[in-house]
Amino acid sequence: MEKEQFYYDNKVVKKFIYATMFWGLIGMSVGLLLAFMFIFPELTQGISWLSFGRLRPLHTNAVIFAFVGNAIFAGVYYSLQRLLKARMYSDLLSKINFWGWQAIIVAAAITLPLGLSTSKEYAELEWPIDIAIALIWVVFGINMIGTILKRRERHLYVAIWFYLGTFVTVAVLHIFNSLALPVTFTKSYSVYAGVQDALVQWWYGHNAVAFFLTTPFLGLMYYFVPKAANRPVYSYRLSIVHFWSLIFIYIWAGPHHLLYTALPDWAQNLGVAFSVMLLAPSWGGMINGLLTLRGAWDKVRTDPVLKFMVVAITGYGMATFEGPMLSLKSINAIAHFSDWIIAHVHVGALAWNGFLTFGMIYWLVPVLFKTKLHSIKMANLHFWLGTLGIILYAFPMYVAGFVQASMWKQFNPDGTLLYGNFLETVTQIIPMYWMRAIGGTMYIVGAIVMLFNLIATIKKGSEVEDDFTEAAPLQRITKGRLLGETWHQKLERKPVQLTILATVAILIGGIVQIIPTLMVESNIPTISSVKPYTPLELEGRDLYIREGCVGCHSQMVRPFRSEVERYGEYSKAGEFVYDHPFLWGSKRTGPDLHRVGMKYSDSWHFNHMLDPQSTSPGSIMPPYAWLLKNKLDKSDTEKKLKVMVTLGVPYSEYEIANAQKSMDAQADIIAENLTQDPSFVDSYESAKADAKAAGKEFVPIQEREIVALIAYLQRLGTDIKTK
């Protein structure tokens, strides 16, 4: 049969590699800045768009979607063409995929520091960007599936199963979790509320880790590890079991992020059961990856590419052992809300995603530019800097997590908390934060060494852009099996059926968990005393979201003796029915705030935002001076209330029509309370005189953002009677 001649598209692969390194260094640099903010809270004092709460989602989005996302596209676009013996379906779609994805990243880099955030972890971007993500993801999917349909290789290799599973699952997760009603072009509210929003978010959040940070990288592992080692995959049968069991089980595990919360017990227990089962397929993949290196371990000593890949697969094994362990209720009760979780996440991110990306790029760049790596020594230096950086980052965070959990739960003989002041637990772990910052610095220095090495490699490489190749066209088989073909091999040459089956496998878990929680009212017992937020409190809640307060403070008191003693009555599902979105949080750098309402005076909250250490000596919270100066924008309040009504929040037409009067009246009460503090009166009158002398507009205290935030904080947890 006559062979067809064609070129592989290497240009798009190179673009994605450049973007991976560029955004990777930016994302890591923001992370390093955040690490130093734990040690120097006032590092970016006075600059609102460089505050911790706004930069944290920028860091997570940059690392996950910019660094890892571009690496996924680079690896998929390279490997898919070779595995299918076909150029990508459309060069135009490849370009749209690349430039569209970069535009989305730039939009995130602009909007998140401005405080335009939904607050939903790993899904903070507002609705116009969410729509753009969906469209570009569909472009990627069309390009991939189009290439599969015009392939010259009959059976789909295991890596492609993971690529297809990733495409369909990320699309489903992103669309359903991002459902929101817009208020303006830059503001929306989640269609889900409270407990339901929490379940959908962590169904998405856990599976963003599963199907964006794991399954595509397993596909890349199945392609690049055998290539780098020049060995076949250890076990074809194990790869079949690994793929189908992983995508089916993973989707059920989200509720393990919500153990001991107000989520119904049946959903929590389902999450635990499937999380424990997840250990088997995860380790099946790790074993398949490591045993592929049988007979090639001598190369690991000398080849930096294999060094990175071995540590990456080992990191994957460690993280996927720890995940099921953390889902056990007894261990979760210790680890959740602590720095243990930060350590766990970064073992996966720095080792599994980071090192596999580095190994893949070290292998790809010399191949794409027809040359040898500029310096093996520099690559080895990068490897050791990165490895030691991971250890220095993760180990102190494990220690910090154990210290926090231990101190939070200790009691005196008389039944009082041994460490009643939350800040005692914060000051104790500052040395661990120093070690984390040093480890992070080493990791990023290693990445900079890599950048220099790659630039030197590219400079001495060939200018040839696309690879020439030839392959025979595929002969169609209309029905039946080929001689000696197994049932799964038959499925492998039917990409549409394989994709449909993968979609069914991932939908089952989501349907079983989410639909009953949304539809069966008994899952969320209502509480008659729980009322919607007043217009001013709703505006204050939006400021709380804008400033990223949920990144450091939880709003979920779990039913533990230590937490009830420290914070007050444990949280009930019915208290969150008007919360669009939920704000339970996932980390306590500061204390839980669900019962903070009326616990402190209005002037305490004012001074706390002005200078946290004046009210809480030893606090590592930065000041939020701009909240005390900015005028509250109330122009969209009525629109917000109308959207809330559409979502089922019972605001009356009278309340909407009189929203401005209501806000003024509540603000006047808070302003009056603030004037009871002599120090506030002195500084306020002085500022008024200064503004008058300078001919500047003076914003009365009741019109400033801080008053709305105080109104919201004073409301928290006061809807039910507590001791």
Side-chain angles (χ1 to χ4, degrees):
M1 185 182 295
E2 189 175 341
K3 292 185 177 181
E4 297 174 341
Q5 298 180 334
F6 59 96
Y7 288 89
Y8 292 132
D9 182 4
N10 287 345
K11 289 189 289 292
V12 70
V13 179
K14 291 174 182 177
K15 287 177 184 174
F16 277 118
I17 289 173
Y18 300 152
T20 300
M21 292 306 300
F22 176 75
W23 292 118
L25 284 168
I26 289 177
M28 293 173 205
S29 299
V30 175
L32 189 60
L33 175 62
L34 294 173
F36 277 104
M37 282 186 184
F38 281 83
I39 307 162
F40 306 107
E42 298 185 14
L43 194 60
T44 59
Q45 181 180 359
I47 307 174
S48 60
W49 50 275
L50 287 180
S51 63
F52 180 90
R54 298 194 193 183
L55 287 183
R56 181 184 179 272
L58 178 64
H59 165 59
T60 55
N61 278 267
V63 170
I64 295 172
F65 300 109
F67 173 58
V68 173
N70 278 302
I72 291 168
F73 290 130
V76 170
Y77 273 103
Y78 181 86
S79 61
L80 195 69
Q81 296 181 82
R82 274 78 183 170
L83 291 170
L84 299 174
K85 292 188 171 63
R87 188 180 177 91
M88 291 306 299
Y89 172 67
S90 166
D91 286 5
L92 176 62
L93 291 182
S94 298
K95 290 174 184 175
I96 293 172
N97 186 178
F98 176 77
W99 290 111
W101 197 254
Q102 308 320 307
I104 287 164
I105 295 165
V106 171
I110 293 170
T111 58
L112 291 173
L114 291 175
L116 303 177
S117 167
T118 67
S119 84
K120 299 178 76 167
E121 207 148 355
Y122 315 138
E124 291 91 350
L125 301 176
E126 271 294 355
W127 68 272
I129 307 176
D130 279 339
I131 292 173
I133 292 169
L135 291 175
I136 296 301
W137 194 252
V138 169
V139 166
F140 165 62
I142 292 171
N143 209 8
M144 177 169 64
I145 293 168
T147 310
I148 291 171
L149 294 178
K150 70 167 194 176
R151 71 194 186 277
R152 296 180 181 85
E153 184 68 44
R154 189 172 308 284
H155 293 93
L156 300 184
Y157 179 66
V158 56
I160 300 173
W161 315 344
F162 281 98
Y163 300 160
L164 285 169
T166 297
F167 167 68
V168 294
T169 312
V170 169
V172 169
L173 292 168
H174 174 72
I175 290 168
F176 279 95
N177 185 55
S178 300
L179 290 176
L181 283 185
V183 178
T184 65
F185 191 71
T186 58
K187 179 65 183 174
S188 64
Y189 291 123
S190 172
V191 299
Y192 315 105
V195 171
Q196 297 160 337
D197 193 41
L199 177 61
V200 174
Q201 158 58 25
W202 282 112
W203 170 73
Y204 163 88
H206 181 78
N207 290 300
V209 172
F211 288 92
F212 202 84
L213 300 179
T214 303
T215 54
F217 268 72
L218 288 167
L220 298 178
M221 177 195 80
Y222 274 116
Y223 181 83
F224 286 101
V225 171
K227 279 286 186 182
N230 198 24
R231 291 287 187 278
V233 169
Y234 168 67
S235 171
Y236 167 70
R237 287 185 179 179
L238 183 55
S239 67
I240 295 173
V241 175
H242 176 209
F243 172 71
W244 289 106
S245 56
L246 191 81
I247 67 167
F248 175 74
I249 294 172
Y250 233 134
I251 210 80
W252 295 75
H256 78 218
H257 290 261
L258 301 168
L259 301 183
Y260 294 109
T261 66
L263 188 73
D265 282 343
W266 66 265
Q268 294 185 38
N269 294 335
L270 265 181
V272 172
F274 278 88
S275 297
V276 172
M277 284 191 276
L278 196 54
L279 179 61
S282 297
W283 271 45
M286 178 195 71
I287 290 166
N288 218 4
L290 288 178
L291 291 184
T292 297
L293 295 169
R294 287 189 316 164
W297 284 100
D298 57 315
K299 290 179 66 178
V300 175
R301 289 198 299 272
T302 56
D303 187 352
V305 170
L306 289 178
K307 282 192 179 81
F308 278 103
M309 290 181 174
V310 166
V311 171
I313 298 168
T314 306
Y316 171 66
M318 291 169 62
T320 52
F321 170 77
E322 192 180 9
M325 182 176 70
L326 286 169
S327 72
L328 298 172
K329 282 195 166 184
S330 56
I331 297 176
N332 187 276
I334 299 168
H336 195 53
F337 290 133
S338 80
D339 280 307
W340 182 343
I341 306 302
I342 307 302
H344 166 61
V345 168
H346 283 81
V347 166
L350 298 174
W352 169 232
N353 296 118
F355 267 37
L356 194 67
T357 296
F358 297 149
M360 179 184 79
I361 292 176
Y362 274 127
W363 186 86
L364 271 175
V365 168
V367 169
L368 289 171
F369 289 91
K370 313 290 188 294
T371 186
K372 290 186 177 180
L373 188 65
H374 170 68
S375 172
I376 298 293
K377 287 184 178 179
M378 287 177 74
N380 282 321
L381 174 63
H382 175 201
F383 171 79
W384 288 111
L385 281 170
T387 302
L388 293 173
I390 293 169
I391 294 168
L392 265 178
Y393 186 110
F395 181 70
M397 289 295 95
Y398 285 118
V399 174
F402 286 120
V403 169
Q404 287 168 314
S406 173
M407 294 180 76
W408 290 345
K409 295 177 180 293
Q410 288 188 47
F411 284 86
N412 289 308
D414 63 357
T416 58
L417 287 165
L418 180 58
Y419 301 103
N421 184 348
F422 186 90
L423 279 170
E424 293 178 278
T425 69
V426 175
T427 54
Q428 198 68 33
I429 58 177
I430 295 298
M432 276 70 96
Y433 288 152
W434 267 107
M435 290 180 70
R436 170 175 66 176
I438 294 168
T441 302
M442 293 176 68
Y443 193 89
I444 197 170
V445 168
I448 293 168
V449 169
M450 176 187 188
L451 181 63
F452 281 111
N453 202 0
L454 293 179
I455 290 171
T457 305
I458 291 167
K459 280 184 176 179
K460 72 176 187 180
S462 168
E463 294 295 327
V464 176
E465 291 193 327
D466 291 344
D467 288 338
F468 174 80
T469 190
E470 56 183 14
L474 191 65
Q475 297 298 306
R476 292 190 177 276
I477 297 174
T478 53
K479 57 183 177 180
R481 290 185 187 178
L482 293 170
L483 186 63
E485 187 180 48
T486 65
W487 67 271
H488 199 274
Q489 286 171 326
K490 182 180 178 182
L491 182 63
E492 288 165 31
R493 57 181 171 84
K494 295 179 179 291
V496 175
Q497 289 91 323
L498 190 148
T499 304
I500 291 170
L501 281 175
T503 305
V504 170
I506 62 101
L507 285 176
I508 294 171
I511 289 169
V512 170
Q513 290 177 340
I514 291 172
I515 290 181
T517 310
L518 294 177
M519 306 298 289
V520 180
E521 291 184 11
S522 60
N523 281 309
I524 320 289
T526 55
I527 302 172
S528 59
S529 60
V530 174
K531 306 297 181 189
Y533 297 105
T534 67
L536 189 65
E537 290 161 1
L538 185 63
E539 290 288 2
R541 192 173 197 269
D542 286 343
L543 292 173
Y544 185 95
I545 290 170
R546 185 189 77 185
E547 299 305 333
C549 304
V550 70
C552 290
H553 295 282
S554 59
Q555 289 185 25
M556 174 52 60
V557 183
R558 297 174 294 177
F560 301 150
R561 178 191 169 202
S562 58
E563 293 203 8
V564 172
E565 182 69 26
R566 185 180 299 276
Y567 301 120
E569 182 69 14
Y570 68 90
S571 304
K572 313 291 193 296
E575 294 184 79
F576 304 100
V577 292
Y578 302 129
D579 284 12
H580 297 268
F582 85 114
L583 294 174
W584 294 358
S586 57
K587 168 78 161 62
R588 285 179 183 154
T589 302
D592 188 276
L593 299 181
H594 190 215
R595 300 290 178 213
V596 77
M598 310 311 293
K599 190 174 180 180
Y600 304 104
S601 68
D602 291 346
S603 61
W604 186 95
H605 284 292
F606 183 93
N607 291 324
H608 186 60
M609 302 306 288
L610 175 64
D611 179 11
Q613 296 216 8
S614 69
T615 56
S616 310
S619 172
I620 60 171
M621 175 179 156
Y624 287 81
W626 57 90
L627 290 171
L628 282 60
K629 299 174 184 175
N630 290 354
K631 186 175 182 177
L632 178 66
D633 181 2
K634 300 185 284 186
S635 59
D636 295 320
T637 304
E638 288 81 1
K639 288 183 186 176
K640 292 178 178 180
L641 296 176
K642 288 175 182 176
V643 169
M644 285 293 184
V645 169
T646 307
L647 294 171
V649 181
Y651 290 113
S652 67
E653 290 186 11
Y654 176 83
E655 286 175 301
I656 296 172
N658 289 274
Q660 299 294 332
K661 290 181 181 178
S662 166
M663 285 193 286
D664 291 342
Q666 191 172 3
D668 287 341
I669 294 170
I670 294 172
E672 178 65 27
N673 291 339
L674 290 174
T675 59
Q676 306 304 310
D677 182 351
S679 63
F680 168 78
V681 174
D682 292 342
S683 61
Y684 183 67
E685 292 300 327
S686 175
K688 185 189 288 187
D690 291 343
K692 186 176 181 181
K696 294 180 180 178
E697 180 190 6
F698 181 76
V699 181
I701 187 63
Q702 54 266 47
E703 294 181 20
R704 299 185 193 180
E705 290 179 339
I706 184 64
V707 170
L709 183 61
I710 290 172
Y712 171 64
L713 292 172
Q714 294 290 36
R715 170 66 183 275
L716 286 175
T718 59
D719 280 345
I720 64 172
K721 291 182 179 180
T722 59
K723 293 181 181 179

